[in-house]
Amino acid sequence: MKFALSPEHLDFGASIRKLFESGSTPAAVRAWSGTDPAPGRGLIEQLAAAGALGLTIAEDFGGLGAEPLDQLVAFIEIGRAAAPGPLVETAAAVPALLQALAETDPAPAQRWLPGISEGTLSATIAFGGATGPAVAVDADRADLVLLTQGDRLSTGRVGEQVRSLDPARRLFVVEAGETIAEGPQARTAIAAGFDFGALANAAQLLGAGKALLDASTEYVKQRKQFGRPIGEFQAVKQKLADVFIGLDLAEPLLYRAALTTGSQNRVRDISAAAVAAADAAYQAARTALQVHGAIGYTAEYDLSLWLTRVTALRAAWGTPDLHRGRVAEALRATGAVDPSGALT
């Protein structure tokens, strides 16, 4: 089976890319890292006007009722631009969670999803674990903060800020507030929110990897050593080729995962895509830093925005090891591997 985007998807992706090509996005990212979220919010409003925030929200809740693949197209471009804000949480994770919960209780979806689709409400979510505090990105600037703890979903109270690898991903401790739902249905909804968030995050990583490859390819044509552009050296060509192959192999896994979100293979396919995208983007980041040299380390150089973003996103929605474990568990459940891990 061939996984490729339609002309309509390509046109939509081009329109989102054009939205970010004004040259103001890096400045907006830096402003978001500090005390001025206004430029970033302007970009988010433009995304909402383009329909990117309400793509997978059902029409009954004010959205477009589009498919997950349409959302991936948008998030690849969001990642390519390193756009600021809790976009995965607002447009993917929280809508998936609330719509899954709406099967038994539509009130939360009716309350919050229309605002997300219109771009008047931003959301973030913290997934509480067995150890350590639960943290959410940009919780102090989100209109809706959710917290999950086991099979309990509640609103969240924003606590202290904690250090982040990416200054534009501002992390805050979240504590439990009012209970929204609990029990088996809440657990099912929470799982949907995590899976769709992980898929959108993987799309962001793919887009960031593509941006790093493009920047590296242009730079090696200009930087010279021994009187020649370094892009003429075979070792440099090979590194860039390896990055291209990694990104090219990850992309169809993302599309497959988007097409199987409604099947029993959802967890397996999303985690496989998450691993491939994370590994490919990380390889793109390492190679970009190597070919740029010392300038790649400087915070003033725009490349640093993508380097820190990839480093942070690589584990933001589950580490590669966690997702590899989910793939292995899914394969064992279907009998594709035996308990020792060997293929059957």
Side-chain angles (χ1 to χ4, degrees):
M1 182 180 293
K2 181 180 180 181
F3 297 104
L5 298 177
S6 68
E8 291 78 15
H9 286 129
L10 295 174
D11 289 343
F12 178 55
S15 69
I16 299 297
R17 190 182 309 181
K18 187 176 180 180
L19 185 153
F20 290 117
E21 284 181 346
S22 64
S24 61
T25 303
V29 175
R30 289 189 170 93
W32 189 275
S33 304
T35 59
D36 183 15
R41 284 178 174 155
L43 287 173
I44 294 170
E45 289 172 2
Q46 292 181 61
L47 281 171
L53 301 187
L55 281 169
T56 56
I57 296 176
E59 294 180 8
D60 290 345
F61 301 122
L64 298 177
E67 299 297 324
L69 184 58
D70 301 305
Q71 188 173 74
L72 285 196
V73 173
F75 271 101
I76 289 172
E77 298 306 326
I78 288 168
R80 192 192 297 271
L87 294 170
V88 166
E89 294 76 10
T90 297
V94 170
L97 187 157
L98 293 178
Q99 289 182 109
L101 189 64
E103 295 181 8
T104 55
D105 181 10
Q110 292 169 343
R111 178 182 178 185
W112 290 309
L113 289 183
I116 289 176
S117 183
E118 294 167 2
T120 59
L121 185 149
S122 62
T124 190
I125 185 168
F127 290 89
T131 60
V135 296
V137 63
D138 297 318
D140 65 325
R141 292 176 180 168
D143 302 296
L144 171 64
V145 180
L146 297 179
L147 171 65
T148 75
Q149 295 170 304
D151 62 356
R152 178 174 179 247
L153 172 68
S154 64
T155 58
R157 295 194 301 265
V158 182
E160 63 179 353
Q161 186 172 3
V162 297
R163 182 178 177 273
S164 173
L165 292 170
D166 178 0
R169 283 179 51 82
R170 304 161 61 260
L171 300 178
F172 291 82
V173 174
V174 175
E175 299 174 349
E178 177 187 354
T179 298
I180 298 172
E182 56 186 335
Q185 185 60 35
R187 184 182 294 274
T188 298
I190 290 166
F194 179 83
D195 286 345
F196 279 82
L199 182 59
N201 185 68
Q204 270 202 115
L205 279 165
L206 182 71
K210 287 176 177 285
L212 286 164
L213 177 60
D214 290 344
S216 300
T217 302
E218 287 303 311
Y219 189 74
V220 300
K221 297 175 183 177
Q222 303 167 17
R223 182 184 174 190
K224 292 185 178 181
Q225 286 186 354
F226 310 110
R228 298 169 56 189
I230 64 171
E232 293 183 5
F233 297 116
Q234 186 61 37
V236 175
K237 291 180 181 180
Q238 188 62 55
K239 281 186 174 294
L240 294 176
D242 288 342
V243 172
F244 177 84
I245 291 170
L247 294 169
D248 201 44
L249 291 175
E251 194 162 7
L253 289 177
L254 273 174
Y255 300 157
R256 177 186 174 88
L259 295 173
T260 59
T261 53
S263 75
Q264 63 180 0
N265 295 324
R266 184 184 82 190
V267 169
R268 182 199 68 186
D269 292 346
I270 287 176
S271 283
V275 170
D279 287 352
Y282 188 62
Q283 183 183 29
R286 287 176 59 87
T287 300
L289 189 56
Q290 288 174 332
V291 301
H292 278 79
I295 194 173
Y297 285 99
T298 61
E300 294 77 13
Y301 194 62
D302 285 349
L303 184 77
S304 66
L305 302 179
W306 282 267
L307 295 178
T308 55
R309 182 61 53 85
V310 166
T311 304
L313 292 183
R314 189 168 179 244
W317 286 83
T319 64
D321 283 347
L322 180 145
H323 285 290
R324 288 187 178 94
R326 282 171 31 119
V327 171
E329 184 178 347
L331 291 174
R332 279 194 291 268
T334 60
V337 296
D338 63 28
S340 69
L343 290 172
T344 59

